[in-house]
Amino acid sequence: MFEKIPFTNIVAKNRLLSKTLTKKDYENPVYNKENLMNSKFVISGSADSFQMPPITDFAVQNLFHVESFMIFHYGFDSFTERQNFHSFLIMYTYFGQGILTYQGKNYTLKEGDGAFINCMDYHLYKADRMQWDTAVLHLNGPLLAAFHAQYMQNGSPVFHEETNGSFQKILEHLLKLYSIPHLYRDWQASTCIDNMLNHLLLLTAPEEKEKLTHRNTSAI
C-alpha cells in the first residue's frame, strides 16, 4: 500500500494544541492560515505527510485539485473541530476507530470506512479509545460544492470499501501523478479526482447498498 509514494514522517514530541499557536504559526506558509483560524484541535501521535507540488492558478480556478494529503496516526486524545473552511475533505480509515460528527449526526469510522464532507459545515472528528490511522485528503475545485450536494442526497457522508478496493487504487494513482512531473499533470489529476468522486457517488447509491446487503445476507 502506497508503494513508491514519497512521504515525510512527522512525529509529535508533544501534543499539538490549537490554543497554543502563536502569530508566527499563523503566518507560516507551511500551514493553511484559513484552516488554522477556523479550527480547534489536539493532535498527538505521528503523520505521514505528502509534499504537494505547486498548483497552477489555472488549476485552482478551473479544475479539481488536491490541497493536501496526510495519513495521521492519531493518539487516543486527538481531535479536530472546524467549520467555515473553504475545502472538501475525504477521510478513510486504515486502522483503529474514529468518530465523526457532521450535520448533527455521529458516525463511527472503522477500517474501510470513509467520509466525504464539506468543511464549511461544522464537523468534529476524533480518535476513539485507541490509535486511529486515517487518510486526510483535502480537495477543491469549482464543481465540488455541487458534486458534494449530489453525494449527500444518498443520505450520509459515510462510505465503505475494503482497503484493497477501487478507492485506494484511485488514491494511489492520484498521488503518483503529483509525485513526479507529468505532461498536463493538472488535467490528469483533475480527471483522476473526477473518477474518484464518481466512484464514491456510485458506491453510496441506494441501489448499490441494496446489492451489498443482499450479497452479505446470502453469504450467511
Side-chain angles (χ1 to χ4, degrees):
M1 191 177 295
F2 294 109
E3 294 179 3
K4 299 182 180 179
I5 304 294
F7 287 104
T8 299
N9 183 256
I10 303 170
V11 179
K13 295 181 180 179
N14 301 299
R15 294 193 308 165
L16 180 63
L17 286 72
S18 55
K19 64 181 181 181
T20 64
L21 294 178
T22 65
K23 182 179 180 180
K24 185 178 180 181
D25 292 322
Y26 282 102
E27 299 301 329
N28 190 332
V30 171
Y31 305 114
N32 185 302
K33 186 176 181 179
E34 183 190 11
N35 189 2
L36 293 182
M37 291 179 64
N38 292 286
S39 303
K40 295 179 181 178
F41 54 83
V42 172
I43 297 176
S44 63
S46 64
D48 298 313
S49 176
F50 179 76
Q51 184 63 47
M52 283 292 300
I55 306 298
T56 64
D57 291 341
F58 177 86
V60 170
Q61 295 171 14
N62 298 283
L63 303 175
F64 292 130
H65 57 278
V66 173
E67 294 182 321
S68 65
F69 178 77
M70 300 182 78
I71 302 172
F72 283 98
H73 309 282
Y74 285 124
F76 74 95
D77 58 345
S78 298
F79 77 88
T80 294
E81 184 179 24
R82 178 171 51 209
Q83 63 180 345
N84 298 323
F85 177 40
H86 290 85
S87 183
F88 292 82
L89 172 61
I90 296 177
M91 309 185 70
Y92 186 75
T93 297
Y94 294 106
F95 175 80
Q97 185 169 297
I99 297 175
L100 168 68
T101 301
Y102 185 65
Q103 295 188 348
K105 296 182 180 180
N106 294 328
Y107 303 91
T108 299
L109 303 178
K110 299 180 181 181
E111 181 178 321
D113 290 335
F116 177 29
I117 65 174
N118 184 342
C119 294
M120 288 297 291
D121 298 330
Y122 171 84
H123 56 284
L124 166 70
Y125 52 89
K126 60 184 180 180
D128 184 27
R129 299 196 302 269
M130 62 183 84
Q131 178 178 314
W132 181 31
D133 294 348
T134 182
V136 174
L137 175 67
H138 280 280
L139 302 171
N140 226 318
L143 289 176
L144 261 170
F147 212 110
H148 182 262
Q150 180 66 49
Y151 175 88
M152 286 301 295
Q153 288 187 20
N154 290 329
S156 170
V158 175
F159 63 90
H160 178 84
E161 188 174 64
E162 298 304 316
T163 56
N164 61 353
S166 294
F167 172 78
Q168 179 66 24
K169 292 179 174 63
I170 297 171
L171 174 59
E172 292 187 30
H173 179 62
L174 177 62
L175 297 178
K176 287 177 181 177
L177 286 174
Y178 279 119
S179 64
I180 58 176
H182 284 82
L183 187 64
Y184 305 121
R185 177 167 59 190
D186 288 339
W187 290 95
Q188 291 189 60
S190 183
T191 299
C192 188
I193 294 169
D194 189 35
N195 291 337
M196 175 185 289
L197 296 174
N198 275 281
H199 175 67
L200 296 186
L201 194 63
L202 293 172
L203 189 65
T204 55
E207 296 84 355
E208 291 302 312
K209 288 184 177 180
E210 185 176 343
K211 289 179 183 178
L212 180 61
T213 301
H214 177 72
R215 286 198 298 268
N216 291 341
T217 304
S218 300
I220 295 176

